[in-house]
Amino acid sequence: TELLRIQEEWREKLQMIYLDPHFFTGKTFSYKQKVGEEGWKGNPQYVLTHQAYSDKWKDRETFLTMLRQVLILSRHLLKPEGSIFLHLDYRFSAHARLLMDEIFGEDNFLNEIVWVYKSGGRAMQHFSRKHDTILFYRKSKQHYFNPDAVGKPRGLSKRNNMKRQIDDDGRVYWSIRSGNKEYRYYEDSKVLPSDVWDDISHLQQKHPERTGYDTQKPEALLERMILSTSRNGDWIGDFFAGSGTTLAAAQNNARKWF
């Protein structure tokens, strides 16, 4: 079968896999296709609406079975130094964590990343749900990880009670003393992301990246995962391609995609 062919042909060839599966919402999602020049100018009369996918499931076990099969295949296709990111929300992140522990091993869990976003609407019977969960696992202890690839310059702003100084080489830094020890933070050094990502916004309806796909993710989100866990020329996999953001981010950063 085609699945067996893929398993053999692509065995341990992918460096990184990103999975953004259904969220078990019970809803149907759409894709808006712009037609011709008028459609791209924003004329709603030249926009066709298609069903992108149905997220309606018979029961929880059916959904879990699907997810299990995809995760088993993903582990089979990952290189020993490879990593996987599974993107879900509050509905299934706890179930997925147990499933990934079973398939990839508890020792290969790296992070539960919280992607915080600001969007309209508020709940009246509970706190508003404004984050997704991205589970980050490695294939083995050989995994490749380069956080410097996604670090950002510390910048010029003052932090807490630190003092701005210049060292003998002319480099600017902020310093603070604690316990008779000086801690220095250079302005040209990089600040690395933690496991709370609140600096990447979700896509507004009129964002230029928008393709018309309901559940599209921002390219910056995928770039952070791709750049930190792969090198130029590596293969990136996404088995729920959706709007194609993973493939675009891989292509734009000299990676190959599957």
Side-chain angles (χ1 to χ4, degrees), residues 165-184:
Q165 302 185 66
I166 300 176
D167 69 10
D168 294 339
D169 296 322
R171 294 178 66 198
V172 177
Y173 67 92
W174 295 90
S175 69
I176 189 170
R177 298 195 70 86
S178 177
N180 295 321
K181 186 175 181 180
E182 181 187 46
Y183 295 89
R184 293 186 179 187

Side-chain angles (χ1 to χ4, degrees), residues 90-152:
Y90 66 91
R91 296 175 182 90
F92 244 88
S93 59
H95 298 274
R97 173 73 183 272
L98 294 174
L99 198 56
M100 294 193 78
D101 280 350
E102 173 191 329
I103 295 170
F104 285 88
E106 287 185 63
D107 291 344
N108 290 319
F109 166 77
L110 296 175
N111 284 114
E112 181 181 57
I113 297 166
V114 177
W115 176 39
V116 182
Y117 44 81
K118 296 178 180 179
S119 59
R122 61 174 182 167
M124 300 305 295
Q125 297 185 17
H126 54 77
F127 295 111
S128 297
R129 293 160 180 156
K130 301 294 183 181
H131 80 273
D132 287 354
T133 299
I134 303 174
L135 299 175
F136 176 27
Y137 280 71
R138 64 189 180 189
K139 172 73 174 286
S140 73
K141 291 182 179 180
Q142 302 174 40
H143 81 292
Y144 172 80
F145 183 59
N146 178 20
D148 283 336
V150 292
K152 296 182 178 180

